[in-house]
């Protein structure tokens, strides 16, 4: 396994990039721990696949370096980097048996038959494929073929890292949670460095120890799932993570008080924003509807019943406000007010989270 570092890493597909918008991947200076489980999360076109291909060696960066355990591997091929990669669609040999598919990467590296057999049986057991080793891959479902692809990535114990490029795309929805759990368990069992690309927050948050959130070619935050939920460092992180995402509302902030949609909101701490483009962020979980006139005046447009809770979709002075209404609480459409839990209010300027002063 390897510790993976980026030094001044950036990439542009066009020649002579001048400004940020010219780059598919803006400058990154990060270090990822040996044996860690990381997810690259963001919408299509955010740069996550570009970064993954640079790590694997399929793409040479325009600027900067990639280092494995401190060694510069920027100019090395994927084979020389000792990387295993699992792609969006299954890569298997249809004419081979499941056993031979799993054994192929080991035989290709000169492993002896008894050692190959031992390792293949270990991985097949991990993937619950032990009873299918004699079957031809041609007759298997897309789900089973992708499990073989996962196994081919896991079968080599000496790889520097295993890269997963949206590997659950072809998996039936009812099986996805099983494979997500299986991958998490395998990481804990094998302690391999794993990097997982996805646009699905559930996949990212359930798999990774740390999630790298990307948008517009930039890494806007890297943190644990809990950190991303509790303290989104950027409004994009707050909005993208969560279902529904964080409410982001235009605000005027003066010290320990904010004005939002005409209502005064007390803040925990003092803020010096000094400028425009100031916003208040609050997750729907920490908003409460009331008919006492407390907080922001809203018009509840729609109530979605999700069983154990409801989501009230409301508007306030042209802004959207979502409120999570817990089981047993009454909610209906029409005028109401929304109060905020001050402990969970965040202040942003130019998209970035501001820390309060003492």
């Amino acid at each position: 396994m390897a510790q993976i570092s980026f030094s001044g890493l950036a990439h542009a597909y066009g020649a002579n990039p001048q400004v940020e918008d010219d780059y598919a991947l803006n400058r990154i200076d990060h270090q990822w721990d040996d044996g860690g489980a990381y997810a690259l999360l963001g919408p299509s076109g955010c740069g996550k696949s570009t970064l993954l291909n640079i790590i694997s060696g399929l793409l040479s960066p325009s600027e900067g370096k990639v280092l494995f355990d401190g060694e510069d591997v920027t100019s090395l091929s994927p084979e020389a980097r000792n990387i295993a990669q699992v792609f969006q669609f299954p890569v298997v040999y249809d004419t081979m048996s499941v056993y031979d598919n799993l054994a192929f990467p080991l035989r290709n590296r000169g492993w002896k038959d008894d050692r190959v057999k031992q390792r293949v049986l270990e991985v097949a057991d991990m993937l619950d494929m032990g009873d299918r080793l004699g079957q031809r891959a041609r007759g298997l479902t897309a789900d089973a073929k992708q499990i073989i692809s996962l196994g081919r990535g896991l079968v080599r114990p000496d790889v520097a890292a295993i890269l997963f490029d949206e590997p659950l795309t072809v998996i039936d929805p009812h099986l996805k949670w099983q494979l997500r759990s299986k991958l998490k368990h395998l990481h804990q069992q094998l302690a391999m460095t794993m990097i997982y690309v996805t646009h699905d927050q559930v996949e990212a948050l359930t798999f990774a120890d740390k999630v790298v959130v990307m948008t517009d070619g930039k890494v806007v935050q890297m943190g644990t799932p809990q950190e991303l939920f509790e303290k989104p460092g950027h409004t994009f992180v707050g909005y993208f993570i969560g279902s529904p995402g964080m409410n982001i509302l235009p605000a005027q902030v003066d010290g320990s008080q904010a004005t939002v949609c005409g209502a005064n909101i007390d803040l925990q701490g003092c803020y010096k924003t000094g400028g425009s483009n100031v916003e208040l962020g609050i997750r729907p979980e920490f908003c409460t509807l009331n008919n006492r006139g407390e907080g922001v005046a809203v018009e509840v447009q729609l109530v979605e019943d999700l069983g154990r809770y409801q989501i009230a979709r409301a508007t306030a002075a042209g802004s959207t406000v979502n409120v999570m209404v817990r089981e047993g609480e009454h909610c209906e459409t029409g005028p109401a007010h929304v109060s905020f839990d001050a402990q969970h209010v965040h202040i942003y300027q130019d998209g970035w989270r501001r820390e309060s002063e003492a």
Side-chain angles (χ1 to χ4, degrees):
M1 297 302 102
Q3 178 193 78
I4 299 175
S5 305
F6 312 110
S7 177
L9 190 71
H11 186 72
Y13 288 100
N16 302 317
Q18 302 295 321
V19 296
E20 281 190 355
D21 289 346
D22 294 337
Y23 287 86
L25 183 67
N26 281 267
R27 181 177 175 126
I28 297 177
D29 293 280
H30 283 173
Q31 181 174 294
W32 296 353
D33 296 334
D34 182 2
Y38 294 86
L40 305 182
L41 175 65
S44 297
C46 71
K48 56 187 186 293
S49 291
T50 296
L51 178 55
L52 193 76
N53 289 335
I54 289 173
I55 295 170
S56 70
L58 294 174
L59 182 66
S60 297
S62 304
E63 302 170 16
K65 299 177 181 178
V66 179
L67 301 100
F68 287 3
D69 290 331
E71 179 185 352
D72 186 355
V73 299
T74 312
S75 60
L76 296 184
S77 67
E79 183 179 7
R81 295 185 192 196
N82 199 21
I83 287 288
Q85 191 157 0
V86 179
F87 296 95
Q88 186 173 2
F89 298 100
V91 179
V92 299
Y93 297 104
D94 276 346
T95 58
M96 289 185 180
S97 67
V98 173
Y99 181 97
D100 289 335
N101 267 282
L102 294 176
F104 185 83
L106 304 178
R107 290 170 174 164
N108 203 35
R109 283 160 180 77
W111 282 39
K112 293 183 178 179
D113 287 346
D114 56 345
R115 191 177 172 206
V116 169
K117 181 177 180 180
Q118 180 182 355
R119 182 60 180 172
V120 168
L121 292 178
E122 287 175 0
V123 171
D125 184 58
M126 293 176 193
L127 297 171
D128 299 322
M129 294 286 286
D131 60 342
R132 295 189 174 189
L133 289 175
Q135 288 184 246
R136 297 281 182 187
R138 179 186 291 117
L140 299 176
T141 63
D143 297 344
K145 288 182 178 181
Q146 188 65 324
I147 292 173
I148 297 172
S149 292
L150 295 177
R152 284 161 58 92
L154 295 168
V155 75
R156 291 163 51 200
D158 61 338
V159 293
I162 304 176
L163 313 183
F164 300 94
D165 192 356
E166 305 211 35
L168 302 186
T169 298
V170 300
I171 305 299
D172 284 345
H174 72 283
L175 293 177
K176 282 188 176 184
W177 71 272
Q178 295 179 6
L179 277 178
R180 286 199 302 265
S181 299
K182 176 67 72 176
L183 279 176
K184 183 68 174 178
H185 176 71
L186 288 170
H187 175 259
Q188 294 169 345
Q189 185 176 353
L190 301 173
M192 289 179 162
T193 303
M194 295 185 180
I195 303 170
Y196 188 110
V197 164
T198 182
H199 62 274
D200 186 323
Q201 61 168 302
V202 175
E203 289 184 18
L205 298 176
T206 54
F207 167 77
D209 299 326
K210 289 191 176 180
V211 179
V212 182
V213 185
M214 301 182 67
T215 183
D216 297 329
K218 304 180 187 70
V219 172
V220 288
Q221 189 173 0
M222 182 172 73
T224 65
Q226 183 176 357
E227 289 168 345
L228 299 180
F229 183 83
E230 294 183 352
K231 290 188 176 181
H234 192 275
T235 52
F236 176 81
V237 179
Y239 179 78
F240 196 73
I241 290 179
S243 182
M246 177 179 278
N247 297 306
I248 307 293
L249 304 170
Q252 293 178 319
V253 175
D254 185 7
S256 60
Q257 192 170 76
T259 302
V260 178
C261 301
N264 293 327
I265 307 295
D266 291 329
L267 305 174
Q268 287 196 337
C270 184
Y271 294 84
K272 291 183 178 179
T273 51
S276 59
N277 200 21
V278 177
E279 295 166 304
L280 179 147
I282 180 78
R283 289 201 177 275
E285 290 85 347
F286 307 118
C287 298
T288 304
L289 283 172
N290 69 84
N291 294 313
R292 301 182 301 274
E294 297 176 2
V296 175
V298 301
E299 183 75 20
V300 178
Q301 307 285 341
L302 176 67
V303 178
E304 298 179 8
D305 192 340
L306 301 178
R308 297 188 65 180
Y309 62 91
Q310 297 173 312
I311 299 295
R313 309 281 187 179
T315 57
S319 297
T320 300
V321 181
N322 294 311
V323 180
M324 183 175 288
V325 183
R326 288 164 183 79
E327 188 176 16
E329 297 179 3
H330 179 69
C331 180
E332 59 184 23
T333 57
H337 283 75
V338 176
S339 57
F340 302 151
D341 183 340
Q343 291 185 340
H344 298 282
V345 167
H346 305 276
I347 299 299
Y348 297 88
Q349 187 165 23
D350 296 324
W352 296 98
R353 185 175 180 272
R354 297 290 301 270
E355 291 287 350
S356 65
E357 299 181 2

